[in-house]
Amino acid sequence: MRTDTARGPGIPDHRSAGRYVWWLVVSQRGRVAAGATYGSLWMVGLMLPPYALSRAIDEGLVPGRMPVLLGWVAVLFGVGVANAWLAVMRHRTMTRIRMDATFRTVRVIVAHTLRLGAALPHKVTAGEVVTIGIGDVAVISQTLTMTGPGVGGVLAYGVVAVLLLTVSPLLAGVVLLGVPLLALLVGPLLGRLQGAESRYRERQSGLAARLTDLVGGLRVLNGLGGKEVFADRHRREARALRDEGYRVGAVTSWVQALGVGLPTLFLAAVTWLAARMAAQGAITVGELVAVYGYAAALVVPVSFFIEGGYDLTRGLVAARRVVRFLRLEPAAAEGSGDAAGSRVAAGSRDAAGSGAGDVPEAASVLRDPASGVEVVPGLLTALAAARPGESAAVVDRLGRFADSAATWGAVRLDEIPLPQVRDRILVADNEADLFAGTLREVVGGRRDRTEEAIGRAVRTALAEDIVRGLPDGLDSAVEAQGRNLSGGQRQRLRLVRALLADPEVLLAVEPTSAVDAHTEAGIAARLHRARAGRTTVVTSTSPLLLDRADRVYYLVDGRVAAVGSHRQLLAEQPGYRRLVARGEDEGGVDEDGTDGSGEDLTGTDSATYPRPEAPVTKEDA
């Protein structure tokens, strides 16, 4: 179904929940006007059959006036056909309105998620986003139903009042006063519903976040013996959500019961009054039938009024959550309002950003004054720290994912247009997201890659066994977050993706932390060869990786304590020696680029995935 969002969702008004719902209305004003027109004609059309029926009784049920009776019957038939067509068009139009609002909100949320980038996990839980995307979007869309039958109900209410004035001013007064009274009776319940619905939505979001954490960390929890503890906590919160849902259901049941019951009682009262007037001769039999028909038809718009209030109440609660999400701002380093890329999606590129600085030349030094790290172009630089967060913080500053005074050449990094920073500097996080798709799509990023290029990157990351182990090789399906792969396999695929991006500057955070020593030694040797002449920074405390670095920075409390080669630091820095003391003899490669068995670990020309000794991961060991 084509919607207006094909041209882009537009700029949402997130100053308040009501303004956001109104923005959804005016964003498709033509369709909303058509829906209101169809809804109004349909509602007014429901009031015409009682009038035609009353005329048929009073004027046609008289001896000798068969043509008059047949004429009014024909009018009734024509009105019925017209109303049926109007009902179909109204329903189709309102469905399009709801679908447009749904897709427009989804696109707005996705676009803002991209703008938040790396700041997203720090500002909102995954459960919150899931709840908004699945539940709140549908509730908001349902609210827009008011623009069709809701407008039509108001017009139908006025038409009935005019028609009743021609029959009896008393009956018209009862109708004019009775309908607002029904709305007043339901009003307090709608206020209670809004409060109960808000609490329910908050609990639902928290439970979704808990479930996301439980599923994502199931493997770790199982190993620690904490699976049952978290499962019990989830069950308790689920019971609390159920109880809150019961409270929402109790209020909802009253609203819906009154939505059906009060109009029926109102119909009975109007019919009783009209019957007494007919018995007294104040109105004719035909007018009595008409009054009953008007009151019965009026049940429809009255029910719409009540249901519309119910939908609006729930819609404002849902829109309030969407507005709160849209008000989140990306980190300052990402550029407020820019379409910033996320660190957790290694290989992605930004679509917007601004800056006034000159773009540095290709061979320029990256400097981080906060730590004292200087990244020399064309070298493999390693950052070693006792606390991994300290070296990762340096990478965040050098990759412009955190506020800093970092420079690139003679220019401050935050003065360079952000898209150019993202195109030339890539931060590859060891926890970067893996999106669902074929293996080829997962590692290829936004560009199509040749078999030869993929083969080189796969071999460099020592990931040939992953390709061979999947049923369809590069065309095999990879689940979201790589759930059908082990931790070490996921990490190597992230490295493949980063290598295929082939950035001018690659900043890799703990790229080999989840693989065994043999695999790590092979990756270190191949990485050094594959990135020769390119600027590469890795954070690690592995002697196998540090030994391959051209320059190693030893960080203490986030500052450079020493710099040199791995062997120099081992000889001169006791703290560094203790840091990497897990042993340099766990495995490695010889100076000739083999692992001692004669297998070449540094070649990059294979795309056929030969069968070396299958590496295992720390998780598999």
Side-chain angles (χ1 to χ4, degrees):
M1 180 179 296
R2 185 182 182 277
T3 66
D4 292 340
T5 56
R7 297 189 297 270
I11 301 175
D13 187 344
H14 54 74
R15 288 175 290 177
S16 68
R19 288 178 182 272
Y20 181 80
V21 174
W22 179 246
W23 171 75
L24 291 176
V25 173
V26 299
S27 295
Q28 45 177 332
R29 56 176 62 89
R31 187 178 290 125
V32 169
T37 301
Y38 287 130
S40 300
L41 293 175
W42 175 66
M43 283 284 191
V44 172
L46 293 178
M47 308 306 158
L48 296 181
Y51 175 80
L53 186 60
S54 68
R55 299 277 68 80
I57 292 174
D58 289 342
E59 300 176 10
L61 296 182
V62 177
R65 305 196 67 181
M66 181 61 68
V68 176
L69 178 61
L70 293 177
W72 283 113
V73 170
V75 170
L76 278 171
F77 180 80
V79 169
V81 172
N83 276 354
W85 181 82
L86 288 171
V88 171
M89 298 305 298
R90 175 194 66 83
H91 181 76
R92 288 182 178 180
T93 305
M94 297 313 303
T95 299
R96 290 190 176 99
I97 290 174
R98 288 190 294 269
M99 295 298 288
D100 182 280
T102 296
F103 292 127
R104 195 177 298 273
T105 299
V106 167
R107 290 189 64 179
V108 165
I109 292 172
V110 170
H112 193 63
T113 299
L114 295 177
R115 278 193 291 272
L116 290 173
L120 179 65
H122 306 291
K123 294 178 177 290
V124 64
T125 65
E128 178 82 2
V129 179
V130 170
T131 303
I132 291 174
I134 295 178
D136 293 333
V137 169
V139 173
I140 294 172
S141 301
Q142 184 63 32
T143 305
L144 268 66
T145 301
M146 293 180 61
T147 61
V151 175
V154 174
L155 292 178
Y157 173 69
V159 170
V160 167
V162 172
L163 291 174
L164 284 176
L165 279 173
T166 63
V167 177
S168 168
L170 175 61
L171 290 173
V174 170
V175 172
L176 290 174
L177 295 176
V179 173
L181 179 61
L182 297 181
L184 291 175
L185 290 175
V186 179
L189 284 175
L190 296 179
R192 287 189 59 189
L193 176 64
Q194 187 168 5
E197 187 81 20
S198 297
R199 292 189 297 271
Y200 177 79
R201 290 287 180 182
E202 293 299 328
R203 283 189 177 274
Q204 186 182 41
S205 174
L207 185 64
R210 177 79 65 190
L211 183 60
T212 301
D213 293 341
L214 181 62
V215 173
L218 189 59
R219 191 173 209 160
V220 176
L221 292 173
N222 211 21
L224 297 175
K227 184 172 64 174
E228 287 302 323
V229 174
F230 273 78
D232 288 340
R233 188 177 303 172
H234 180 270
R235 281 191 286 267
R236 288 196 301 271
E237 293 184 4
R239 286 194 292 268
L241 177 65
R242 179 198 60 193
D243 295 339
E244 195 68 50
Y246 286 160
R247 284 187 281 273
V248 173
V251 180
T252 301
S253 65
W254 276 105
V255 172
Q256 293 179 343
L258 293 176
V260 175
L262 287 179
T264 303
L265 292 176
F266 176 69
L267 170 62
V270 173
T271 303
W272 177 82
L273 179 60
R276 286 186 58 84
M277 294 178 68
Q280 295 170 358
I283 60 176
T284 66
V285 174
E287 290 173 334
L288 170 62
V289 174
V291 169
Y292 174 82
Y294 296 150
L298 201 60
V299 169
V300 177
V302 172
S303 298
F304 268 117
F305 289 153
I306 296 176
E307 291 177 8
Y310 169 71
D311 290 337
L312 180 61
T313 299
R314 299 178 69 237
L316 290 176
V317 172
R320 196 172 297 124
R321 291 162 56 83
V322 172
V323 165
R324 187 169 59 197
F325 177 76
L326 295 178
R327 286 176 178 170
L328 298 177
E329 293 291 341
E334 293 292 334
S336 179
D338 294 338
S342 172
R343 161 177 159 177
V344 293
S348 65
R349 297 289 188 268
D350 290 327
S354 61
D358 295 329
V359 180
E361 297 296 331
S364 298
V365 177
L366 268 173
R367 294 183 178 87
D368 175 37
S371 63
V373 170
E374 292 189 358
V375 180
V376 178
L379 299 183
L380 174 59
T381 303
L383 308 179
R387 290 188 288 270
E390 294 176 356
S391 54
V394 175
V395 169
D396 278 345
R397 293 192 290 270
L398 293 177
R400 196 174 158 184
F401 284 100
D403 292 327
S404 73
T407 60
W408 196 5
V411 185
R412 277 181 61 111
L413 201 60
D414 55 11
E415 294 179 353
I416 303 173
L418 189 59
Q420 299 190 33
V421 174
R422 294 287 177 259
D423 280 337
R424 298 177 63 181
I425 301 177
L426 172 65
V427 176
D429 195 294
N430 65 334
E431 294 296 332
D433 286 339
L434 294 174
F435 302 106
T438 65
L439 182 57
R440 188 189 307 276
E441 294 169 338
V442 168
V443 300
R446 65 176 182 175
R447 297 186 180 93
D448 292 331
R449 310 291 181 176
T450 65
E451 292 286 339
E452 182 181 2
I454 296 176
R456 285 196 300 267
V458 166
R459 182 166 173 79
T460 300
L462 216 68
E464 303 100 317
D465 65 301
I466 302 176
V467 180
R468 292 195 313 269
L470 293 173
D472 299 315
L474 289 174
D475 295 318
S476 300
V478 175
E479 297 178 8
Q481 303 302 336
R483 288 191 298 266
N484 57 333
L485 303 172
S486 70
Q489 290 174 327
R490 290 194 294 269
Q491 189 172 61
R492 283 179 282 159
L493 288 186
R494 293 183 184 106
L495 182 57
V496 171
R497 181 171 59 182
L499 291 170
L500 274 175
D502 194 27
E504 178 182 329
V505 179
L506 173 61
L507 309 177
V509 179
E510 301 289 345
T512 59
S513 60
V515 299
D516 70 290
H518 170 78
T519 304
E520 188 173 37
I523 291 175
R526 296 180 182 191
L527 180 64
H528 188 275
R529 171 71 67 87
R531 292 287 298 176
R534 310 280 278 174
T535 306
T536 307
V537 177
V538 297
T539 70
S540 179
T541 56
S542 165
L544 298 171
L545 191 57
L546 294 171
D547 191 39
R548 286 288 179 176
D550 299 306
R551 175 179 290 189
V552 179
Y553 283 93
Y554 171 43
L555 304 179
V556 177
D557 296 328
R559 295 284 303 176
V560 174
V563 59
S565 69
H566 172 62
R567 298 184 185 278
Q568 286 175 331
L569 294 178
L570 281 176
E572 300 171 4
Q573 296 293 324
Y576 178 83
R577 191 161 53 247
R578 288 192 297 271
L579 178 63
V580 300
R582 69 187 180 100
E584 293 186 278
D585 58 347
E586 293 181 0
V589 295
D590 297 337
E591 293 299 322
D592 63 355
T594 70
D595 65 353
S597 63
E599 181 194 351
D600 179 19
L601 293 175
T602 60
T604 59
D605 59 349
S606 172
T608 56
Y609 319 118
R611 187 177 297 275
E613 178 185 348
V616 295
T617 69
K618 291 177 181 177
E619 293 186 11
D620 297 331

